[in-house]
Amino acid sequence: MTPAELAALIRSVLLEAVAAGDVALAAEDVPEPKVERPRQREHGDWATNVAMQLAKKAGTNPRALAELLAARLAQADGVAAAEVAGPGFLNIRLEAGAAGELARAVVEAGPAYGRNEALAGHRINMEFVSANPTGPLHIGHTRWAALGDAMVRLLRASGAEVVPEYYINDAGSQMDKFGASIVARATGTDVPEGGYQGSYVAELAAKVLAERPDLTELPHDEAVAVARELGYRLQMAEIEETLASFNVHFDVWFSERELHDGGAVESAVGRLREQGHVYDEGGAVWLRTTDFSDDKDRVLVRADGSPTYFAADAAYYLSKKDRGFGEKIYLLGADHHGYVNRLKAIASCAGDDPERNIEILIGQLVSVAGARMSKRAGNIIELRDIIEWIGTDPVRYTLARFPADSPLTLDGEKLREKNLDNPVYYVQYAYARTRNASRNAEEHGVPRDGFDPAALDHPADTELLGALGQFPETVAHAARLREPHRVARYLEQVAAAYHQWYGQTRISPRGEDQVDAGHTARLWLNDATSQVLANGLDLLGVSAPERM
């Protein structure tokens, strides 16, 4: 019996009590109860506080309602006992056969186990990373690359429609400086003031020259324009390749320049003016964001007629709205904290609810102990160097283990260690162990046919089944709170329960012992654990190795 099936059973018992007149509630007032593992396992397999939630509406006290439900639940198939604790908690113990059915449910669901509909109907645009296309990705982009992708996976697993989007900052003076820097490297002259240093620029210059051997013969402005476009294309290809090696993929690569070239920025100013929030002063065009808790009004168009970055931000927000995204999530670094109020003000000025239609998450900085500065970029730690040195799996898993709002230092050498003190290795080793156990069982002739869930009668079976049963709610909770670390910590609990179970029970017969129903049942439980670990690691963008 899965937690969802138990919740449905409790609700049906409640509805029966309502129909019999034993509980003074309307049927529509009876919710789907929430069930969870008791903090102390001796209290039972599952617990619910539904009696405490409904007692006041039913005109009774929580304990009396709990006792009524306990008496009815104790008669239900699959329930061994139902007891009342404290002011009205219900502790429920399942019969071994009912509890063991969870193993079958997990195995038969396969990759779908853990998926839920908690966020069904939500259409979300999630923007993250969004680095300038003028250089390689570095450690400052790493945290949101890992967490943003994990959040996308969690939200989708919880029923939401999510589009991950990368905003390319390809407009403005920095692109001209980028092009001029490439030309300088190609011609052997000094990089202009404020230009881009690092050997990666020389590498780009060599590639640009390979495509346009005439670059050095062009007039300077034309050469800069050519270098800017070719260098931009080459750098974006490297960014996309680096993210792919980090197991991060975007559905949309959105160009800021296209906002300007397509007239979206001018259109946005006009639309916001129609909303009544735009005014003119000192020759400039302003957005009255102070009406919506911003610390000052923001300039949309300067007195010289040029739009500001803020105008592009407004146009970009409206683009997301026009594309039908009721919810927009922005994942920003700690240095963008000042953007929170102004982005919410844009949402308000656009007629949206800033508490519902926009969500801004701020991530704290990450440092890497023992890392060396990039030889290509000079003063940064490149993401691709981190991947090559430590590996995608250790970095992604470790970043997923901690809340985004906590500063974090990665110890590169420790993350490279292949021992059980390394959390990613600990979880991956548990998965590899399940696969090895499954192969050994097959070699020993343990059949999968004839699964008897009642044979899962060892306390360690019950403990492991209880851990597996919490996976769907863990996924839904992590998705609602935008906290992938809940999945990582959960996987470590499952791995611990599995390692203990593995040492206390037998999947394959020992020596000359005959294969019995217990071996088959535990092969199913082993494979159910394997599936949960694989599904959880996939949500974090981490691989599940068959052998280690």
Side-chain angles (χ1 to χ4, degrees):
M1 185 181 297
T2 67
E5 290 170 339
L6 177 58
L9 172 62
I10 296 170
R11 185 172 189 274
S12 70
V13 166
L14 262 167
L15 289 172
E16 289 173 3
V18 168
D22 295 335
V23 177
L25 285 172
E28 56 268 23
D29 291 332
V30 178
E32 189 81 7
K34 179 179 179 180
V35 297
E36 55 189 3
R37 298 287 277 179
R39 292 182 180 178
Q40 296 179 310
R41 284 292 293 111
E42 61 268 21
H43 289 171
D45 297 317
W46 299 100
T48 180
N49 65 349
V50 67
M52 300 172 69
Q53 290 179 323
L54 297 178
K56 185 175 181 179
K57 187 175 288 187
T60 185
N61 70 70
R63 190 170 178 89
L65 179 55
E67 288 172 348
L68 184 150
L69 293 176
R72 287 176 173 267
L73 279 169
Q75 306 302 313
D77 291 340
V79 176
E83 301 170 347
V84 180
F89 288 101
L90 260 175
N91 291 328
I92 301 165
R93 195 178 308 278
L94 300 179
E95 294 175 351
E101 278 294 342
L102 177 66
R104 190 200 310 271
V106 174
V107 172
E108 291 181 349
Y113 183 69
R115 301 187 72 86
N116 61 87
E117 296 298 314
L119 297 177
H122 292 254
R123 190 162 192 266
I124 302 170
N125 177 284
M126 179 173 286
E127 179 199 341
F128 58 104
V129 183
S130 296
N132 289 340
T134 53
L137 295 176
H138 54 75
I139 188 63
H141 306 122
T142 304
R143 188 171 211 170
W144 273 141
L147 291 182
D149 182 71
M151 287 183 199
V152 169
R153 294 166 185 254
L154 280 167
L155 291 167
R156 286 174 172 168
S158 296
E161 179 186 350
V162 189
V163 172
E165 187 158 307
Y166 187 114
Y167 184 60
I168 308 170
N169 301 103
D170 54 359
S173 61
Q174 85 273 7
M175 294 304 296
D176 292 327
K177 291 178 181 177
F178 178 57
S181 301
I182 293 173
V183 170
R185 291 299 191 190
T187 57
T189 57
D190 292 336
V191 171
E193 185 177 352
Y196 294 88
Q197 306 287 340
S199 62
Y200 81 93
V201 182
E203 292 174 11
L204 288 173
K207 293 176 181 178
V208 169
L209 279 171
E211 288 197 41
R212 288 295 301 268
D214 63 335
L215 181 74
T216 57
E217 301 170 7
L218 298 175
H220 181 73
D221 289 349
E222 185 178 346
V224 168
V226 169
R228 180 185 62 211
E229 294 309 306
L230 292 178
Y232 161 66
R233 175 166 57 80
L234 291 165
Q235 191 58 55
M236 281 306 303
E238 180 187 307
I239 287 172
E240 189 167 356
E241 181 183 354
T242 301
L243 288 170
S245 69
F246 202 50
N247 210 10
V248 175
H249 305 276
F250 288 91
D251 290 350
V252 176
W253 298 79
F254 194 98
S255 166
E256 179 189 356
R257 184 168 55 184
E258 291 181 7
L259 281 177
H260 291 274
D261 294 347
V265 175
E266 292 82 354
S267 174
V269 173
R271 289 171 63 179
L272 293 171
R273 190 184 291 276
E274 290 173 2
Q275 292 276 359
H277 303 296
V278 171
Y279 66 94
D280 301 296
E281 185 176 288
V285 180
W286 298 73
L287 186 65
R288 191 177 289 105
T289 55
T290 51
D291 287 349
F292 303 101
S293 301
D294 199 5
D295 59 338
K296 62 181 180 180
D297 291 343
R298 303 287 170 176
V299 177
L300 290 169
V301 182
R302 301 179 184 91
D304 64 4
S306 61
T308 62
Y309 284 116
F310 184 70
D313 289 340
Y316 185 38
Y317 182 88
L318 289 173
S319 167
K320 294 180 180 184
K321 182 176 180 178
D322 292 344
R323 286 181 279 149
F325 295 109
E327 297 168 59
K328 304 97 179 161
I329 301 178
Y330 292 75
L331 277 56
L332 304 177
D335 56 338
H336 286 72
H337 202 278
Y339 279 65
V340 174
N341 283 343
R342 69 188 73 170
L343 285 173
K344 285 185 173 290
I346 289 174
S348 299
C349 291
D352 280 350
D353 180 351
E355 300 306 315
R356 185 178 67 85
N357 299 119
I358 184 170
E359 183 177 354
I360 303 157
L361 305 175
I362 300 293
Q364 293 300 316
L365 297 175
V366 175
S367 58
V368 184
R372 295 180 179 178
M373 294 295 182
S374 168
K375 293 180 180 179
R376 296 171 70 238
N379 61 347
I380 63 171
I381 301 170
E382 282 196 60
L383 173 55
R384 73 179 195 174
D385 289 344
I386 294 294
I387 294 171
E388 183 178 344
W389 174 39
I390 302 174
T392 291
D393 285 348
V395 175
R396 285 204 56 158
Y397 186 89
T398 304
L399 289 172
R401 290 187 79 235
F402 298 93
D405 59 0
S406 60
L408 182 61
T409 298
L410 305 181
D411 188 323
E413 290 303 325
K414 284 191 175 296
L415 292 182
R416 286 162 49 86
E417 293 177 357
K418 299 185 183 304
N419 58 50
L420 297 182
D421 292 330
N422 184 347
V424 65
Y425 185 90
Y426 183 73
V427 174
Q428 288 181 318
Y429 174 72
Y431 174 79
R433 196 177 199 183
T434 67
R435 304 318 306 137
N436 186 59
S438 183
R439 290 189 293 269
N440 286 341
E442 290 181 6
E443 292 174 3
H444 282 83
V446 178
R448 284 184 167 78
D449 294 339
F451 170 57
D452 178 9
L456 296 174
D457 54 3
H458 192 282
D461 298 328
T462 304
E463 190 68 29
L464 183 54
L465 284 165
L468 301 185
Q470 295 178 78
F471 185 52
E473 177 55 30
T474 299
V475 173
H477 197 49
R480 284 192 297 264
L481 296 178
R482 322 300 196 229
E483 293 181 344
H485 70 270
R486 295 178 180 274
V487 173
R489 299 305 175 119
Y490 165 81
L491 291 178
E492 291 163 34
Q493 293 171 10
V494 170
Y498 176 76
H499 290 314
Q500 292 176 2
W501 173 83
Y502 187 88
Q504 296 178 35
T505 63
R506 296 291 304 177
I507 304 170
S508 300
R510 180 184 285 109
E512 300 299 319
D513 291 350
Q514 297 297 307
V515 174
D516 59 27
H519 296 122
T520 294
R522 291 188 176 94
L523 176 56
W524 277 75
L525 182 51
N526 174 83
D527 291 351
T529 307
S530 180
Q531 191 66 66
V532 168
L533 290 171
N535 292 359
L537 286 168
D538 183 67
L539 288 173
L540 302 179
V542 177
S543 70
E546 291 283 319
R547 290 179 169 84
M548 292 182 71

